[in-house]
Amino acid sequence: MVGMEVAGRTSAPLTARQAGLVGCQRCARVWPMGTVRCGRCGSRLVSRDRNSLQRVWAWWIAGVICYIPANLYPMLRTRTLFQSQEDTIIAGAIELFTHGAPFVAIIVLIASVAIPLAKFAAIAVLALGVRQGSRIPAGRRHIVYEIVEYIGRWSMIDVFVVAILSSLVQLNVVASINPGPASLAFALSVIFTMLSAQSFDSRMIWDHIEPDQKGPAA
Amino acid sequence: MHTLDTSDLSKLIACPSCDALYSEVRPGHGRRAVCERCHTVLISPRRNAGLQVIALSTAAVILVIGATIFPFLQINVAGMSNSATVLDAAMAFAGGPLLALSLAVTALIVLLPLIRLLLILYVLTPIVFDRPPARRAKRAFRMAEQLKPWSMAEIFALGCAVSLIKVADLARIEFGPAFWMFLGLVVIIVVQDAFICRWSVWKSLEERRRP
Ligand SMILES: [Zn+2]
Ligand SMILES: [Zn+2]
């Protein structure tokens, strides 16, 4: 790995914005401030997306709202010869506990409950940090942002498992599994949360720190 | 203090994640240029990367199609058996209000990964064979990049494994051929993703214009 230390700098890097330029977020090409479209890749250029936070919060609220029915309604309807039952996410985990599979139960709880809630909290912390400033260092907030971006899509695994089980376990009277309404709510919640994270302009994390933190710039 | 030369903008590069400005230095093959502030990889050229990405993408296209046709899991309970293909899984929600979910699942695990792979092939093949860029290549590559978070074939593969654990006490389950294809797909997509240097692709699209 080589750092991009090339211009004889020793202190906090100059940003494209401070240099009166606008950087393309798709291809990293630099243009004079005010350029509308990137001449290299054709993406729309914005130095800082002012509406970014509004979109982040709009998707965030939609995601939280969908997460509530995702927990109240059953995810799966299981029917076997002797019984039929409907399981919400948490009820399913509790049953795994009582059936002597605490390890699997913990994994389910982490994947379907802890991670979604942590994502909501992390996005809120990032968005509030931009508006009000944050005591958490920018570098650490950026890592949080990358983790949220990376983990977001993996939450869809719950929906895929419902789809797989429902298509596979269709054995007439012996056993059948069908999807419950929570699966749709959960899928929407994951998608909205992904859109919320994607709307966030991560360059804003770094904006407030340059002037005072590292000596005189330029 | 900043001795950045801003007279030629094409020689500069701005970190897409944090906006830090650098003058562009191409690292050697197999090395990476990383933003020193947020550690985003900016440039990561590899020798013959284009050809390798084309080979991997072609293999991935074949695997996606194969994984759609063959069953990925088979279940046996009390002498009854049932096997499921990816399309069965997607259609599990069909009928009633969950139909939208059927369409979404089909898109996420089959259509979008396939479209993304084909777009990458469309853009890279002319570049690698020293031809002028394909028609609307920029738009195609931009789309391929936008589709990246939404193509979830590899997440589906992990979903198969989780499903297996969930019904293990209910029934006996066997892996079908499509499961192994999905597993191969996971590996290929990860490697392919690491091999593509986005910056190099954009650079060559910029340098080689259509005549
Ligand atoms: Zn661009
Ligand atoms: Zn950076």
Side-chain angles (χ1 to χ4, degrees):
Chain A
M1 245 166 42
V2 282
M4 281 298 277
E5 188 126 37
V6 277
R9 287 176 300 92
T10 50
S11 150
L14 180 73
T15 65
R17 186 183 178 80
Q18 288 164 345
L21 303 167
V22 52
C24 175
Q25 286 202 283
R26 178 82 47 212
C27 74
R29 180 82 150 83
V30 174
W31 302 94
M33 190 69 89
T35 312
V36 181
R37 262 181 198 286
C38 175
R40 174 152 76 185
C41 74
S43 298
R44 200 177 285 282
L45 297 173
V46 248
S47 178
R48 293 296 178 273
D49 192 346
R50 299 213 169 277
N51 299 321
S52 163
L53 288 181
Q54 276 175 34
R55 271 181 287 125
V56 170
W57 284 117
W59 290 123
W60 188 88
I61 290 167
V64 172
I65 289 174
C66 287
Y67 188 68
I68 297 166
N71 278 284
L72 293 180
Y73 289 97
M75 199 77 168
L76 285 174
R77 301 174 200 273
T78 313
R79 202 176 46 73
T80 60
L81 271 182
F82 315 104
Q83 54 171 347
S84 73
Q85 67 182 64
E86 301 194 329
D87 276 336
T88 60
I89 294 172
I90 293 179
I94 292 171
E95 198 188 284
L96 281 170
F97 251 114
T98 53
H99 276 62
F103 185 66
V104 184
I106 288 169
I107 290 180
V108 169
L109 281 178
I110 290 174
S112 315
V113 182
I115 289 180
L117 291 178
K119 273 189 301 186
F120 291 135
I123 295 173
V125 166
L126 290 172
L128 289 174
V130 168
R131 178 77 37 95
Q132 302 168 358
S134 175
R135 269 171 296 157
I136 309 166
R140 197 155 303 161
R141 276 185 286 152
H142 198 273
I143 291 171
V144 169
Y145 168 73
E146 285 192 331
I147 293 174
V148 169
E149 272 260 82
Y150 181 79
I151 287 195
R153 46 205 294 278
W154 285 93
S155 295
M156 278 305 269
I157 197 168
D158 285 285
V159 179
F160 292 158
V161 168
V162 172
I164 291 167
L165 292 180
S166 307
S167 61
L168 192 64
V169 187
Q170 292 295 343
L171 303 159
N172 292 325
V173 289
V174 179
S176 72
I177 293 180
N178 287 301
S183 52
L184 178 63
F186 194 88
L188 287 176
S189 176
V190 173
I191 289 171
F192 291 154
T193 313
M194 281 175 72
L195 289 169
S196 175
Q198 284 179 15
S199 307
F200 185 74
D201 186 345
S202 63
R203 297 174 298 188
M204 296 190 298
I205 293 176
W206 302 87
D207 274 348
H208 298 296
I209 60 150
E210 278 106 9
D212 47 68
Q213 205 186 44
K214 294 232 181 141
Chain B
M1 192 165 73
H2 293 293
T3 50
L4 222 49
D5 175 19
T6 54
S7 59
D8 183 1
L9 293 185
S10 69
K11 293 277 192 300
L12 293 175
I13 180 168
C15 173
S17 298
C18 78
D19 211 31
L21 192 61
Y22 303 99
S23 40
E24 178 183 292
V25 173
R26 243 179 245 232
H29 283 288
R31 310 198 70 191
R32 308 192 297 173
V34 176
C35 174
E36 62 179 45
R37 184 159 78 161
C38 74
H39 309 293
T40 298
V41 176
L42 299 172
I43 310 176
S44 57
R46 293 179 58 94
R47 205 178 297 281
N48 295 326
L51 211 55
Q52 287 160 348
V53 171
I54 287 177
L56 290 167
S57 303
T58 312
V61 167
I62 294 167
L63 284 179
V64 171
I65 294 171
T68 313
I69 298 168
F70 293 103
F72 58 88
L73 287 176
Q74 193 182 2
I75 186 171
N76 297 297
V77 190
M80 303 188 70
S81 76
N82 184 31
S83 60
T85 64
V86 170
L87 291 180
D88 293 333
M91 286 306 133
F93 301 109
L98 297 180
L99 176 67
L101 201 50
S102 263
L103 301 176
V105 169
T106 318
L108 293 174
I109 59 187
V110 181
L111 289 182
L112 298 184
L114 205 57
I115 293 173
R116 185 171 120 81
L117 289 165
L118 293 175
L119 286 172
I120 289 173
L121 284 173
Y122 178 76
V123 172
L124 287 192
T125 312
I127 295 180
V128 168
F129 294 106
D130 274 323
R131 314 279 304 170
R135 204 175 285 276
R136 293 178 177 263
K138 291 179 177 184
R139 196 171 178 182
F141 194 57
R142 223 163 60 218
M143 228 172 114
E145 289 282 275
Q146 281 160 355
L147 286 179
K148 200 175 150 201
W150 303 102
S151 63
M152 302 188 174
E154 73 272 27
I155 300 176
F156 185 79
L158 200 68
C160 291
V162 174
S163 308
L164 186 81
I165 297 167
K166 284 211 171 176
V167 288
D169 58 338
L170 184 76
R172 201 160 55 82
I173 293 215
E174 282 161 28
F175 293 119
F179 177 79
W180 304 108
M181 292 181 184
F182 264 116
L183 224 55
L185 203 57
V186 176
V187 177
I188 288 182
I189 286 177
V190 170
V191 174
Q192 181 227 43
D193 212 54
F195 278 13
I196 296 184
C197 171
R198 280 149 190 98
W199 180 86
S200 305
V201 174
W202 286 122
K203 193 80 178 169
S204 26
L205 285 179
E206 184 180 41
E207 282 164 0
R208 281 178 249 176
R209 295 177 180 245
R210 290 174 60 80

